[in-house]
Amino acid sequence: MILTKDQFKKDFVKKMMKLYAQDVENSTTHMQYFTLGYLLKEYISEGWAKTTSRYKKYGEKQVYYFSIEFLLGRLLASNLLNLGIRETAKEALAEMGIRLTDIEDVEVDAGLGNGGLGRLAACFMDSMASSGIPGNGNGIRYKYGLFQQKIVDGYQVELPENWLRDDNVWEVRKSDKAVRVRFYGDAWMKPLENGSLAPIHTGYQEVLAVPYDTALVGYENKTVNTLRLWNAEVPPYEGEIQEDLNFNNVLKNKREIESITEVLYPDDSNHEGRVLRLKQEYFFVSAGLQSIVQQHKEAGHPMSTLHDLVAVHINDTHPAVAIPELMRILMDEEGLEWDEAWHITQNTMSYTNHTIMSEALEKWPVELFKDLLPRIYLIVEEIDRRFRQILVNKFQGNGDMVEKLAIISGGYVRMAHLCIHGTHSVNGVAKLHTEILKTQELRDFYMLYPYKFNNKTNGITHRRWLMLANPELTSLLDETIGDSWRRNPQDLKLFKKYKRDAEVQRRVEETKLHNKERLAAYIKEKNNIIVDPNSIFDVHVKRLHAYKRQLLNALHILHQYHEILENPNFDMLPKTYIFAAKAAPGYYYAKEIIKFINALADQVNNDPRVKGRIKMVFLENYGVSLAEKIIPASEVSEQISTTTKEASGTSNMKFMMNGAITLATLDGANVEILEEVGNPNIVIFGMTEKEVLDYYRSGNYVSRDFYNTDPRIKRVLDSLTNGMIKGISVEGRDIFKSLIDYNDEFFVLKDFDSYLNAHVKIEDLYKDRFTWNKMSIENISSSGVFSSDVTVMQYASGIWDTRMIER
Ligand SMILES: *Cc1c(COP(=O)(O)O)cnc(C)c1O
């Protein structure tokens, strides 16, 4: 939008007066935040309304991204940026004596997600709007986002994240768009006189779903899409009030209903088998589909064209009930026959698989499912019955195959199977992951439906992760290669020609140093640890999970500590190892690793013999805003998951885009990062996919052999249990047991040697400043393909069949 500084100042002063009866001179930062937020919302609203009517007028195909998580982070800076008024606002505010970044820091993160999956949904929202794709989000308005993490005496403590305590300036409650969602009761098919069957559902509990809409502002392109998050409420009481209405029961019912959207489940890699979780899934899916179908009808379109005008994307299996729910709406409410409803449903829906880890694969006990969603269960049963017929024909009576692929089997409803059968597209999130799906995990499904399988490598929005997070690098890019990369991130390639340019190298290094200084100040403030901005910042930030192997990193640091103790003059470049990670509250082992990292940090940081060669920092409460501070200050990006376990990873892309060197296993999108940046510009170590799979097949991995034959491993592991590190008598023993007695499920010991060598290589490269800076520039300039702008374009043309406009 076009806005002068004077106009902005006028608007700001007026808005402040209106909201708080207050002059700007005497206002608090808190007031300034809400003033700016509400002002921005006004600026956005015109474009929002225009986009909606433009979509209506031209009948553009709409994408609805269904996701149980949207990890948005803060929106103020990103809305200012995308409106194209951040510089104007910044300067105008400065003239009034206000620092924009101070205001931005007031905003609470919208933490409605656990990690990568939720953040992907948020990046896609930004990229769809910025690419002019008519793309909307559909999810849950959790009252409490992902827990706030405190570290107390080295242990993780979880506190509720009450992000809605103050106003959420970005949302708009749309009471008139509320719909009703039904749970429980009895459902059956009633024979009619004409011989057909009519679905009956009685005795249900009804929940009111009220939408809260948030604008998704495209980057300087007049597009404003919508993220619709649903809130569960008690429907207004209708009909006669019964004499025996019991107030306690009314309250109980209210609490039960409101609990549906109360809290986000804090686990990102384990299937949550509780009924409340299935309630959440059906709740937002049913509400979303009802409102989509309603809009379709209001626009005057016949049901038979739904899939021509609507694409519904299922982000992992959590929204899988969208398939039977759309069938229910089309048949029970719109009167379509099964075959036509099925055709529309399959062609409307597409599905992304995010994991191959069996503990994360969602399956629901039939009894639980049937009890909560009786009508939906009948439909799933019929989908399964018909699917089994297809399987019988295909596999010529091979009953094992039928049972193996069926949707309902062994007393469970298998959500991934429902998704593969009920959609027209199944995609993995990185090449390796998709290959593993096709050749291993979903091999039989691939044989059945080869045309459904495709790859869409994840991406990240370069606006948040480069333009907002790293303004100094952004300016350097603008100065050297112009600003076309902002709209067209693949133009970052143009930066490659400066890789040997001494002055540009110096600027890249200086930018990194400034970012490191800022992070060092933050670390001093939060952890009271002094770190040297001239040391190597080696960073491992992501959810805490055994497969992500934060333990391998910590064991390597412990190894270096031993080396120093053994040889007081041990020669190494000073290193600052930075960790940040939340563990699922019920994931005991992950929490033990957090304690271990913190205990080791205490020990190493305070041992005078280390003489500043190692500093170790665990920053609490990892989330989007913290990631934005850490990543631009990073030099080594630790992406060390057990090969085959990380479907894609996305922080690997954020680090690369900010010039960090990736230290990685050949897992997930690390493979594509290697492909893009080339072998000399990344440090790869560890097992190959084949080695991992061979161990699985042969079962002959013996972790104890590594303990017995490698004295470095023995020394490190023994020091977990011999009292050398204070405060980990329980944790040290448990970690030792998992690595030796339980045979090291994630091959930490197998990769230990290779990981040590990789660190030596990193040091050698770092010593040569020319080489390191050149590598850094190669990484930045090769990162454009990992912009989610590129990814959503591939979804749009390859899966959703939507047009891009206003690009
Ligand atoms: C990008 C991101 C993730 C995903 O990190 P991975 O290393 O890919 O697992 C998780 N949490 C936050 C806050 C992120 O920004």
Side-chain angles (χ1 to χ4, degrees), residues 71 114-117 119 268 460 465 541-543 547-548 622-625 627-628 631 638-639 646 648-652 654-655:
L71 187 47
N114 273 285
L117 176 146
R119 185 54 231 174
D268 68 339
I460 55 161
W465 296 109
V541 294
K542 50 185 77 245
R543 281 302 285 260
Y547 85 81
K548 291 177 181 279
Y622 187 57
V624 174
S625 290
E628 288 170 29
I631 292 170
E638 298 267 359
Q639 306 299 336
E646 188 75 88
S648 163
T650 48
S651 77
N652 45 3
K654 302 168 194 164
F655 281 101

PDB file of all heavy atoms in Angstrom, residues 71 114-117 119 268 460 465 541-543 547-548 622-625 627-628 631 638-639 646 648-652 654-655, ligand 1:
ATOM      1  N   LEU A  71       1.904 -22.884  13.325  1.00  0.00           N
ATOM      2  CA  LEU A  71       2.885 -22.272  14.219  1.00  0.00           C
ATOM      3  C   LEU A  71       3.309 -20.927  13.624  1.00  0.00           C
ATOM      4  O   LEU A  71       4.331 -20.812  12.963  1.00  0.00           O
ATOM      5  CB  LEU A  71       4.077 -23.226  14.381  1.00  0.00           C
ATOM      6  CG  LEU A  71       5.167 -22.892  15.392  1.00  0.00           C
ATOM      7  CD1 LEU A  71       4.593 -22.492  16.736  1.00  0.00           C
ATOM      8  CD2 LEU A  71       6.101 -24.078  15.558  1.00  0.00           C
ATOM      9  N   ASN A 114       3.623 -27.570  17.310  1.00  0.00           N
ATOM     10  CA  ASN A 114       4.737 -28.181  18.027  1.00  0.00           C
ATOM     11  C   ASN A 114       6.091 -27.846  17.408  1.00  0.00           C
ATOM     12  O   ASN A 114       7.032 -27.525  18.108  1.00  0.00           O
ATOM     13  CB  ASN A 114       4.567 -29.698  18.024  1.00  0.00           C
ATOM     14  CG  ASN A 114       3.718 -30.176  19.180  1.00  0.00           C
ATOM     15  OD1 ASN A 114       4.184 -30.208  20.308  1.00  0.00           O
ATOM     16  ND2 ASN A 114       2.476 -30.531  18.914  1.00  0.00           N
ATOM     17  N   GLY A 115       6.178 -27.987  16.087  1.00  0.00           N
ATOM     18  CA  GLY A 115       7.483 -27.838  15.439  1.00  0.00           C
ATOM     19  C   GLY A 115       7.324 -27.740  13.939  1.00  0.00           C
ATOM     20  O   GLY A 115       6.479 -26.981  13.437  1.00  0.00           O
ATOM     21  N   GLY A 116       8.108 -28.537  13.232  1.00  0.00           N
ATOM     22  CA  GLY A 116       8.198 -28.438  11.775  1.00  0.00           C
ATOM     23  C   GLY A 116       6.868 -28.469  11.030  1.00  0.00           C
ATOM     24  O   GLY A 116       6.647 -27.669  10.134  1.00  0.00           O
ATOM     25  N   LEU A 117       5.983 -29.394  11.419  1.00  0.00           N
ATOM     26  CA  LEU A 117       4.714 -29.545  10.701  1.00  0.00           C
ATOM     27  C   LEU A 117       3.858 -28.284  10.797  1.00  0.00           C
ATOM     28  O   LEU A 117       3.290 -27.817   9.809  1.00  0.00           O
ATOM     29  CB  LEU A 117       3.966 -30.761  11.261  1.00  0.00           C
ATOM     30  CG  LEU A 117       2.574 -31.076  10.739  1.00  0.00           C
ATOM     31  CD1 LEU A 117       2.368 -32.582  10.715  1.00  0.00           C
ATOM     32  CD2 LEU A 117       1.493 -30.434  11.592  1.00  0.00           C
ATOM     33  N   ARG A 119       4.969 -25.243  11.611  1.00  0.00           N
ATOM     34  CA  ARG A 119       5.671 -24.115  11.002  1.00  0.00           C
ATOM     35  C   ARG A 119       5.552 -24.194   9.476  1.00  0.00           C
ATOM     36  O   ARG A 119       5.427 -23.179   8.803  1.00  0.00           O
ATOM     37  CB  ARG A 119       7.132 -24.091  11.449  1.00  0.00           C
ATOM     38  CG  ARG A 119       7.933 -22.899  10.967  1.00  0.00           C
ATOM     39  CD  ARG A 119       7.304 -21.555  11.319  1.00  0.00           C
ATOM     40  NE  ARG A 119       7.207 -20.715  10.128  1.00  0.00           N
ATOM     41  CZ  ARG A 119       6.597 -19.537  10.072  1.00  0.00           C
ATOM     42  NH1 ARG A 119       6.003 -19.022  11.159  1.00  0.00           N
ATOM     43  NH2 ARG A 119       6.552 -18.859   8.961  1.00  0.00           N
ATOM     44  N   ASP A 268       4.899 -34.052  19.096  1.00  0.00           N
ATOM     45  CA  ASP A 268       4.914 -33.943  17.638  1.00  0.00           C
ATOM     46  C   ASP A 268       5.327 -35.230  16.946  1.00  0.00           C
ATOM     47  O   ASP A 268       5.424 -35.264  15.748  1.00  0.00           O
ATOM     48  CB  ASP A 268       5.803 -32.782  17.175  1.00  0.00           C
ATOM     49  CG  ASP A 268       7.267 -33.044  17.463  1.00  0.00           C
ATOM     50  OD1 ASP A 268       7.567 -33.886  18.337  1.00  0.00           O
ATOM     51  OD2 ASP A 268       8.101 -32.408  16.818  1.00  0.00           O
ATOM     52  N   ILE A 460      10.609 -22.911   3.181  1.00  0.00           N
ATOM     53  CA  ILE A 460      10.455 -21.923   4.262  1.00  0.00           C
ATOM     54  C   ILE A 460      10.245 -20.557   3.624  1.00  0.00           C
ATOM     55  O   ILE A 460      10.753 -20.317   2.522  1.00  0.00           O
ATOM     56  CB  ILE A 460      11.737 -21.873   5.128  1.00  0.00           C
ATOM     57  CG1 ILE A 460      12.963 -21.607   4.242  1.00  0.00           C
ATOM     58  CG2 ILE A 460      11.903 -23.182   5.905  1.00  0.00           C
ATOM     59  CD1 ILE A 460      14.157 -21.105   4.992  1.00  0.00           C
ATOM     60  N   TRP A 465      12.325 -15.647   7.270  1.00  0.00           N
ATOM     61  CA  TRP A 465      13.584 -16.257   7.713  1.00  0.00           C
ATOM     62  C   TRP A 465      14.828 -15.567   7.178  1.00  0.00           C
ATOM     63  O   TRP A 465      15.932 -15.846   7.606  1.00  0.00           O
ATOM     64  CB  TRP A 465      13.583 -17.755   7.398  1.00  0.00           C
ATOM     65  CG  TRP A 465      12.503 -18.446   8.169  1.00  0.00           C
ATOM     66  CD1 TRP A 465      11.345 -18.967   7.665  1.00  0.00           C
ATOM     67  CD2 TRP A 465      12.440 -18.639   9.604  1.00  0.00           C
ATOM     68  NE1 TRP A 465      10.579 -19.476   8.695  1.00  0.00           N
ATOM     69  CE2 TRP A 465      11.217 -19.296   9.886  1.00  0.00           C
ATOM     70  CE3 TRP A 465      13.299 -18.333  10.656  1.00  0.00           C
ATOM     71  CZ2 TRP A 465      10.834 -19.636  11.186  1.00  0.00           C
ATOM     72  CZ3 TRP A 465      12.914 -18.674  11.951  1.00  0.00           C
ATOM     73  CH2 TRP A 465      11.698 -19.315  12.209  1.00  0.00           C
ATOM     74  N   VAL A 541      19.145 -26.591  17.228  1.00  0.00           N
ATOM     75  CA  VAL A 541      17.841 -26.165  17.754  1.00  0.00           C
ATOM     76  C   VAL A 541      16.715 -26.832  16.980  1.00  0.00           C
ATOM     77  O   VAL A 541      16.668 -26.775  15.761  1.00  0.00           O
ATOM     78  CB  VAL A 541      17.673 -24.624  17.715  1.00  0.00           C
ATOM     79  CG1 VAL A 541      18.652 -23.960  18.663  1.00  0.00           C
ATOM     80  CG2 VAL A 541      17.842 -24.056  16.320  1.00  0.00           C
ATOM     81  N   LYS A 542      15.822 -27.486  17.679  1.00  0.00           N
ATOM     82  CA  LYS A 542      14.688 -28.215  17.108  1.00  0.00           C
ATOM     83  C   LYS A 542      14.033 -28.960  18.261  1.00  0.00           C
ATOM     84  O   LYS A 542      14.523 -28.911  19.385  1.00  0.00           O
ATOM     85  CB  LYS A 542      15.141 -29.194  16.023  1.00  0.00           C
ATOM     86  CG  LYS A 542      16.308 -30.095  16.473  1.00  0.00           C
ATOM     87  CD  LYS A 542      16.824 -30.978  15.335  1.00  0.00           C
ATOM     88  CE  LYS A 542      17.683 -30.250  14.338  1.00  0.00           C
ATOM     89  NZ  LYS A 542      17.102 -30.176  13.009  1.00  0.00           N
ATOM     90  N   ARG A 543      12.911 -29.654  18.023  1.00  0.00           N
ATOM     91  CA  ARG A 543      12.324 -30.428  19.107  1.00  0.00           C
ATOM     92  C   ARG A 543      13.334 -31.451  19.627  1.00  0.00           C
ATOM     93  O   ARG A 543      14.202 -31.917  18.878  1.00  0.00           O
ATOM     94  CB  ARG A 543      11.047 -31.143  18.606  1.00  0.00           C
ATOM     95  CG  ARG A 543       9.846 -30.238  18.545  1.00  0.00           C
ATOM     96  CD  ARG A 543       9.516 -29.612  19.881  1.00  0.00           C
ATOM     97  NE  ARG A 543       8.892 -30.552  20.773  1.00  0.00           N
ATOM     98  CZ  ARG A 543       7.585 -30.621  21.011  1.00  0.00           C
ATOM     99  NH1 ARG A 543       6.761 -29.759  20.454  1.00  0.00           N
ATOM    100  NH2 ARG A 543       7.113 -31.521  21.833  1.00  0.00           N
ATOM    101  N   TYR A 547      15.630 -39.413  17.891  1.00  0.00           N
ATOM    102  CA  TYR A 547      16.086 -39.576  16.506  1.00  0.00           C
ATOM    103  C   TYR A 547      16.821 -38.338  15.992  1.00  0.00           C
ATOM    104  O   TYR A 547      17.625 -38.417  15.063  1.00  0.00           O
ATOM    105  CB  TYR A 547      14.918 -39.962  15.570  1.00  0.00           C
ATOM    106  CG  TYR A 547      14.095 -38.812  15.031  1.00  0.00           C
ATOM    107  CD1 TYR A 547      14.522 -38.061  13.937  1.00  0.00           C
ATOM    108  CD2 TYR A 547      12.872 -38.467  15.610  1.00  0.00           C
ATOM    109  CE1 TYR A 547      13.774 -37.013  13.441  1.00  0.00           C
ATOM    110  CE2 TYR A 547      12.106 -37.426  15.127  1.00  0.00           C
ATOM    111  CZ  TYR A 547      12.569 -36.693  14.050  1.00  0.00           C
ATOM    112  OH  TYR A 547      11.823 -35.650  13.569  1.00  0.00           O
ATOM    113  N   LYS A 548      16.571 -37.178  16.592  1.00  0.00           N
ATOM    114  CA  LYS A 548      17.269 -35.957  16.171  1.00  0.00           C
ATOM    115  C   LYS A 548      18.682 -35.879  16.779  1.00  0.00           C
ATOM    116  O   LYS A 548      19.480 -35.023  16.402  1.00  0.00           O
ATOM    117  CB  LYS A 548      16.445 -34.721  16.536  1.00  0.00           C
ATOM    118  CG  LYS A 548      15.143 -34.591  15.703  1.00  0.00           C
ATOM    119  CD  LYS A 548      14.318 -33.398  16.146  1.00  0.00           C
ATOM    120  CE  LYS A 548      13.024 -33.216  15.392  1.00  0.00           C
ATOM    121  NZ  LYS A 548      13.175 -32.548  14.076  1.00  0.00           N
ATOM    122  N   TYR A 622      12.259 -22.656  23.237  1.00  0.00           N
ATOM    123  CA  TYR A 622      12.429 -22.565  21.787  1.00  0.00           C
ATOM    124  C   TYR A 622      11.083 -22.368  21.095  1.00  0.00           C
ATOM    125  O   TYR A 622      10.101 -23.037  21.399  1.00  0.00           O
ATOM    126  CB  TYR A 622      13.095 -23.836  21.253  1.00  0.00           C
ATOM    127  CG  TYR A 622      13.452 -23.738  19.792  1.00  0.00           C
ATOM    128  CD1 TYR A 622      14.279 -22.725  19.338  1.00  0.00           C
ATOM    129  CD2 TYR A 622      12.946 -24.635  18.861  1.00  0.00           C
ATOM    130  CE1 TYR A 622      14.599 -22.606  18.003  1.00  0.00           C
ATOM    131  CE2 TYR A 622      13.273 -24.535  17.513  1.00  0.00           C
ATOM    132  CZ  TYR A 622      14.097 -23.509  17.099  1.00  0.00           C
ATOM    133  OH  TYR A 622      14.410 -23.394  15.763  1.00  0.00           O
ATOM    134  N   GLY A 623      11.059 -21.427  20.191  1.00  0.00           N
ATOM    135  CA  GLY A 623       9.842 -21.138  19.427  1.00  0.00           C
ATOM    136  C   GLY A 623      10.234 -20.285  18.232  1.00  0.00           C
ATOM    137  O   GLY A 623      11.423 -20.045  18.009  1.00  0.00           O
ATOM    138  N   VAL A 624       9.254 -19.827  17.476  1.00  0.00           N
ATOM    139  CA  VAL A 624       9.546 -19.110  16.230  1.00  0.00           C
ATOM    140  C   VAL A 624      10.386 -17.853  16.492  1.00  0.00           C
ATOM    141  O   VAL A 624      11.402 -17.621  15.826  1.00  0.00           O
ATOM    142  CB  VAL A 624       8.241 -18.759  15.480  1.00  0.00           C
ATOM    143  CG1 VAL A 624       8.531 -17.887  14.267  1.00  0.00           C
ATOM    144  CG2 VAL A 624       7.526 -20.037  15.037  1.00  0.00           C
ATOM    145  N   SER A 625       9.989 -17.069  17.482  1.00  0.00           N
ATOM    146  CA  SER A 625      10.714 -15.807  17.707  1.00  0.00           C
ATOM    147  C   SER A 625      12.145 -16.042  18.170  1.00  0.00           C
ATOM    148  O   SER A 625      13.059 -15.305  17.779  1.00  0.00           O
ATOM    149  CB  SER A 625       9.964 -14.914  18.700  1.00  0.00           C
ATOM    150  OG  SER A 625       8.789 -14.450  18.082  1.00  0.00           O
ATOM    151  N   ALA A 627      13.898 -18.704  17.384  1.00  0.00           N
ATOM    152  CA  ALA A 627      14.581 -19.206  16.182  1.00  0.00           C
ATOM    153  C   ALA A 627      15.040 -18.035  15.304  1.00  0.00           C
ATOM    154  O   ALA A 627      16.135 -18.057  14.738  1.00  0.00           O
ATOM    155  CB  ALA A 627      13.658 -20.138  15.389  1.00  0.00           C
ATOM    156  N   GLU A 628      14.207 -17.003  15.213  1.00  0.00           N
ATOM    157  CA  GLU A 628      14.558 -15.840  14.392  1.00  0.00           C
ATOM    158  C   GLU A 628      15.788 -15.116  14.946  1.00  0.00           C
ATOM    159  O   GLU A 628      16.515 -14.464  14.205  1.00  0.00           O
ATOM    160  CB  GLU A 628      13.373 -14.873  14.298  1.00  0.00           C
ATOM    161  CG  GLU A 628      12.241 -15.405  13.431  1.00  0.00           C
ATOM    162  CD  GLU A 628      10.963 -14.565  13.523  1.00  0.00           C
ATOM    163  OE1 GLU A 628      11.033 -13.349  13.761  1.00  0.00           O
ATOM    164  OE2 GLU A 628       9.868 -15.145  13.381  1.00  0.00           O
ATOM    165  N   ILE A 631      19.076 -18.247  14.513  1.00  0.00           N
ATOM    166  CA  ILE A 631      19.527 -18.771  13.219  1.00  0.00           C
ATOM    167  C   ILE A 631      20.451 -17.806  12.448  1.00  0.00           C
ATOM    168  O   ILE A 631      21.486 -18.233  11.939  1.00  0.00           O
ATOM    169  CB  ILE A 631      18.320 -19.269  12.391  1.00  0.00           C
ATOM    170  CG1 ILE A 631      17.740 -20.517  13.087  1.00  0.00           C
ATOM    171  CG2 ILE A 631      18.712 -19.570  10.946  1.00  0.00           C
ATOM    172  CD1 ILE A 631      16.410 -21.013  12.540  1.00  0.00           C
ATOM    173  N   GLU A 638      23.551 -27.905  12.945  1.00  0.00           N
ATOM    174  CA  GLU A 638      23.592 -29.334  13.290  1.00  0.00           C
ATOM    175  C   GLU A 638      22.307 -30.019  12.807  1.00  0.00           C
ATOM    176  O   GLU A 638      21.222 -29.779  13.334  1.00  0.00           O
ATOM    177  CB  GLU A 638      23.710 -29.509  14.812  1.00  0.00           C
ATOM    178  CG  GLU A 638      24.974 -28.916  15.407  1.00  0.00           C
ATOM    179  CD  GLU A 638      26.127 -29.923  15.521  1.00  0.00           C
ATOM    180  OE1 GLU A 638      25.940 -31.103  15.155  1.00  0.00           O
ATOM    181  OE2 GLU A 638      27.209 -29.503  15.984  1.00  0.00           O
ATOM    182  N   GLN A 639      22.449 -30.873  11.794  1.00  0.00           N
ATOM    183  CA  GLN A 639      21.290 -31.595  11.228  1.00  0.00           C
ATOM    184  C   GLN A 639      21.670 -33.065  11.214  1.00  0.00           C
ATOM    185  O   GLN A 639      21.971 -33.633  10.182  1.00  0.00           O
ATOM    186  CB  GLN A 639      20.980 -31.071   9.820  1.00  0.00           C
ATOM    187  CG  GLN A 639      20.783 -29.558   9.745  1.00  0.00           C
ATOM    188  CD  GLN A 639      19.619 -29.052  10.595  1.00  0.00           C
ATOM    189  OE1 GLN A 639      18.680 -29.797  10.902  1.00  0.00           O
ATOM    190  NE2 GLN A 639      19.666 -27.787  11.001  1.00  0.00           N
ATOM    191  N   GLU A 646      14.354 -38.414   9.637  1.00  0.00           N
ATOM    192  CA  GLU A 646      13.829 -37.049   9.496  1.00  0.00           C
ATOM    193  C   GLU A 646      13.220 -36.931   8.102  1.00  0.00           C
ATOM    194  O   GLU A 646      13.930 -37.001   7.107  1.00  0.00           O
ATOM    195  CB  GLU A 646      14.962 -36.034   9.664  1.00  0.00           C
ATOM    196  CG  GLU A 646      14.513 -34.591   9.724  1.00  0.00           C
ATOM    197  CD  GLU A 646      13.884 -34.217  11.064  1.00  0.00           C
ATOM    198  OE1 GLU A 646      14.621 -33.813  11.981  1.00  0.00           O
ATOM    199  OE2 GLU A 646      12.655 -34.344  11.184  1.00  0.00           O
ATOM    200  N   SER A 648      11.940 -34.443   6.343  1.00  0.00           N
ATOM    201  CA  SER A 648      12.555 -33.385   5.552  1.00  0.00           C
ATOM    202  C   SER A 648      13.461 -32.519   6.417  1.00  0.00           C
ATOM    203  O   SER A 648      14.653 -32.382   6.171  1.00  0.00           O
ATOM    204  CB  SER A 648      11.471 -32.499   4.926  1.00  0.00           C
ATOM    205  OG  SER A 648      12.016 -31.283   4.485  1.00  0.00           O
ATOM    206  N   GLY A 649      12.866 -31.970   7.482  1.00  0.00           N
ATOM    207  CA  GLY A 649      13.532 -30.907   8.218  1.00  0.00           C
ATOM    208  C   GLY A 649      13.281 -29.618   7.472  1.00  0.00           C
ATOM    209  O   GLY A 649      13.170 -29.601   6.235  1.00  0.00           O
ATOM    210  N   THR A 650      13.134 -28.536   8.200  1.00  0.00           N
ATOM    211  CA  THR A 650      13.019 -27.225   7.561  1.00  0.00           C
ATOM    212  C   THR A 650      13.994 -26.239   8.185  1.00  0.00           C
ATOM    213  O   THR A 650      14.377 -25.266   7.540  1.00  0.00           O
ATOM    214  CB  THR A 650      11.592 -26.654   7.659  1.00  0.00           C
ATOM    215  OG1 THR A 650      11.132 -26.778   8.999  1.00  0.00           O
ATOM    216  CG2 THR A 650      10.657 -27.374   6.710  1.00  0.00           C
ATOM    217  N   SER A 651      14.421 -26.492   9.433  1.00  0.00           N
ATOM    218  CA  SER A 651      15.382 -25.541   9.996  1.00  0.00           C
ATOM    219  C   SER A 651      16.704 -25.640   9.241  1.00  0.00           C
ATOM    220  O   SER A 651      17.414 -24.650   9.106  1.00  0.00           O
ATOM    221  CB  SER A 651      15.561 -25.755  11.503  1.00  0.00           C
ATOM    222  OG  SER A 651      16.379 -26.862  11.782  1.00  0.00           O
ATOM    223  N   ASN A 652      17.006 -26.820   8.701  1.00  0.00           N
ATOM    224  CA  ASN A 652      18.196 -26.947   7.853  1.00  0.00           C
ATOM    225  C   ASN A 652      18.196 -25.892   6.736  1.00  0.00           C
ATOM    226  O   ASN A 652      19.228 -25.312   6.408  1.00  0.00           O
ATOM    227  CB  ASN A 652      18.309 -28.379   7.294  1.00  0.00           C
ATOM    228  CG  ASN A 652      16.998 -28.937   6.749  1.00  0.00           C
ATOM    229  OD1 ASN A 652      15.977 -28.238   6.731  1.00  0.00           O
ATOM    230  ND2 ASN A 652      17.014 -30.191   6.318  1.00  0.00           N
ATOM    231  N   LYS A 654      16.494 -22.936   6.819  1.00  0.00           N
ATOM    232  CA  LYS A 654      16.607 -21.594   7.405  1.00  0.00           C
ATOM    233  C   LYS A 654      18.074 -21.246   7.674  1.00  0.00           C
ATOM    234  O   LYS A 654      18.512 -20.126   7.413  1.00  0.00           O
ATOM    235  CB  LYS A 654      15.823 -21.523   8.725  1.00  0.00           C
ATOM    236  CG  LYS A 654      14.343 -21.844   8.614  1.00  0.00           C
ATOM    237  CD  LYS A 654      13.720 -22.044  10.011  1.00  0.00           C
ATOM    238  CE  LYS A 654      12.355 -22.700   9.928  1.00  0.00           C
ATOM    239  NZ  LYS A 654      11.913 -23.245  11.234  1.00  0.00           N
ATOM    240  N   PHE A 655      18.818 -22.219   8.205  1.00  0.00           N
ATOM    241  CA  PHE A 655      20.233 -21.988   8.507  1.00  0.00           C
ATOM    242  C   PHE A 655      21.023 -21.699   7.235  1.00  0.00           C
ATOM    243  O   PHE A 655      21.827 -20.774   7.178  1.00  0.00           O
ATOM    244  CB  PHE A 655      20.835 -23.222   9.191  1.00  0.00           C
ATOM    245  CG  PHE A 655      20.518 -23.343  10.652  1.00  0.00           C
ATOM    246  CD1 PHE A 655      19.528 -24.209  11.097  1.00  0.00           C
ATOM    247  CD2 PHE A 655      21.209 -22.604  11.594  1.00  0.00           C
ATOM    248  CE1 PHE A 655      19.245 -24.343  12.448  1.00  0.00           C
ATOM    249  CE2 PHE A 655      20.932 -22.729  12.946  1.00  0.00           C
ATOM    250  CZ  PHE A 655      19.944 -23.600  13.378  1.00  0.00           C
TER     251      PHE A 655
HETATM  252  C1  LIG B   1      11.605 -24.455  11.655  1.00  0.00           C
HETATM  253  C2  LIG B   1      11.159 -24.759  13.021  1.00  0.00           C
HETATM  254  C3  LIG B   1      11.070 -26.080  13.466  1.00  0.00           C
HETATM  255  C4  LIG B   1      11.468 -27.262  12.603  1.00  0.00           C
HETATM  256  O1  LIG B   1      12.821 -27.553  12.879  1.00  0.00           O
HETATM  257  P1  LIG B   1      13.510 -28.907  12.367  1.00  0.00           P
HETATM  258  O2  LIG B   1      14.944 -28.707  12.726  1.00  0.00           O
HETATM  259  O3  LIG B   1      13.305 -28.970  10.897  1.00  0.00           O
HETATM  260  O4  LIG B   1      12.882 -30.018  13.097  1.00  0.00           O
HETATM  261  C5  LIG B   1      10.654 -26.325  14.753  1.00  0.00           C
HETATM  262  N1  LIG B   1      10.325 -25.312  15.580  1.00  0.00           N
HETATM  263  C6  LIG B   1      10.415 -24.030  15.196  1.00  0.00           C
HETATM  264  C7  LIG B   1      10.050 -22.968  16.153  1.00  0.00           C
HETATM  265  C8  LIG B   1      10.822 -23.702  13.913  1.00  0.00           C
HETATM  266  O5  LIG B   1      10.889 -22.426  13.526  1.00  0.00           O
END
